[in-house]
Amino acid sequence: PYSSYAQVPRTDEEIDLLLDELYFSEEQLIDDILASISKSHFIYSSITLNSNTYFSGRESGIDQINVFPQISYFHPSGFNMSISGLYYENFEPSWDFTSISLGYYTAIDEKERLFLNTGYTRYFFSDGSDVFTNSIDVSLGLRNKNNSLGTTLHTSYLFGSEDALQLIFSPYGRITLLNDKTFSLRFRPQLN
C-alpha cells in the first residue's frame, strides 16, 4: 500500500501504529485510520494481487490471478469515501465489479475506545447482475487503552433483486514480540 499525508507531519511512532493497523484487517481499516489521524486528511490506496483465485474458500479449478485496486479518502470530520474493483485474469468479462462507498466514522466516548462506523456501498457488476447491488453497513467497535485487544461487530444489509443480512463478530489482539528502532515483529491474531 501507499500512504500519503496532508498538512500535518506525524511522528515515527504514530506512523508505525498506523501501518500496523493498515495490515491488520480490512474491516478495521477505516475505524483505526480515522482514530489515528483524527486531525488530518488521509488518502489510502492499495492494489492486492492474488496469484491463486479461491471461491468460498476452495480452489476454482481455474489457474488465474485476480487484482483488487482500491483508493480511499478520509476527512477529519469522519466522512470517508472509497472506490474499488475486482479483475479476474481468465473470466469473461475480466473486470468483475466496481464499488463506490460513502461512510462516516465517529468515536462514541471521549477516550476513543468505543467507535461507530456507518456506510453505504453501491456495486456495479460488469455482467449486469442485480442480486446484491447495495449494502448498508454499521460497525460498532471497542478496544482497550493501548489497542492490544479489541472487538468489532459488523452488520451489513445487502439488497438488490434479493436481500440478505450479514453479521461478523471479530475479536482481535496485537502483541509486540520485538520492537527495535529499525525493526518490529508483531503477532496479530483475529477471529471472525
Side-chain angles (χ1 to χ4, degrees), residues 4-11 14-15 37-41 76:
S4 176
Y5 300 92
Q7 298 153 352
V8 180
R10 312 305 278 178
T11 66
E14 288 171 317
I15 292 170
I37 57 165
S38 60
K39 294 180 175 64
S40 299
H41 296 263

Side-chain angles (χ1 to χ4, degrees), residues 11 32 39 52 60 67 75 102 131 142 147 160 172 182 184 192:
T11 66
D32 292 339
K39 294 180 175 64
N52 209 354
S60 65
V67 179
H75 188 272
L102 298 173
V131 176
L142 178 66
N147 292 334
Y172 61 90
T182 60
S184 62
N192 292 321

